[in-house]
Amino acid sequence: MKYVYGIDLKEYDRMFDRQGGRCAICWMSGNRRASGRNDRLHLVVDHCHVTKFVRGLLCHPCNHAIGLLDDEPFLMWSASEYLASSRIKSGWKLDENHEP
């Protein structure tokens, strides 16, 4: 982790605690860490591939999703607008319980 992201396990644990052990995007927790420690949930280190800046910790699905959209904020916003508008058009109510 230190070589790839420039952070050690202590910094990972600090980030994990700051995020309440949850993904920074969906707020869901991930799988147990591969290290076998049962007191932490495994979240991957998300970083900018250009600047190498560490942004936060994400679950695998959210990390994969933003990667598929090339970490492009406009594409993510556009996808969000598309999904929201299709729900409105179909008369489907937004989930009132899905709050951060």
Side-chain angles (χ1 to χ4, degrees):
M1 206 173 356
K2 184 75 169 170
Y3 176 75
V4 176
Y5 304 114
I7 64 170
D8 58 14
L9 190 55
K10 281 178 133 179
E11 180 58 24
Y12 176 95
D13 287 341
R14 280 194 289 273
M15 291 172 66
F16 184 94
D17 290 339
R18 277 195 303 265
Q19 291 181 206
R22 302 200 177 273
C23 172
I25 293 176
C26 71
W27 301 287
M28 299 297 285
S29 55
N31 297 323
R32 296 271 177 206
R33 267 186 19 197
S35 67
R37 286 177 46 187
N38 291 329
D39 63 332
R40 294 282 189 237
L41 298 171
H42 181 66
L43 297 172
V44 298
V45 178
D46 175 50
H47 69 289
C48 173
H49 290 262
V50 175
T51 66
K52 307 299 183 207
F53 175 76
V54 172
R55 296 183 283 221
L57 303 177
L58 302 177
C59 67
H60 286 282
C62 286
N63 190 52
H64 190 68
I66 66 171
L68 288 172
L69 291 174
D70 294 325
D71 293 358
E72 178 55 54
F74 175 77
L75 291 177
M76 289 178 230
W77 172 82
S78 184
S80 176
E81 289 294 306
Y82 168 77
L83 291 174
S85 69
S86 66
R87 286 181 179 181
I88 292 168
K89 289 176 191 172
S90 70
W92 190 57
K93 292 184 180 179
L94 295 176
D95 183 2
E96 296 170 0
N97 297 319
H98 191 72
E99 297 178 309

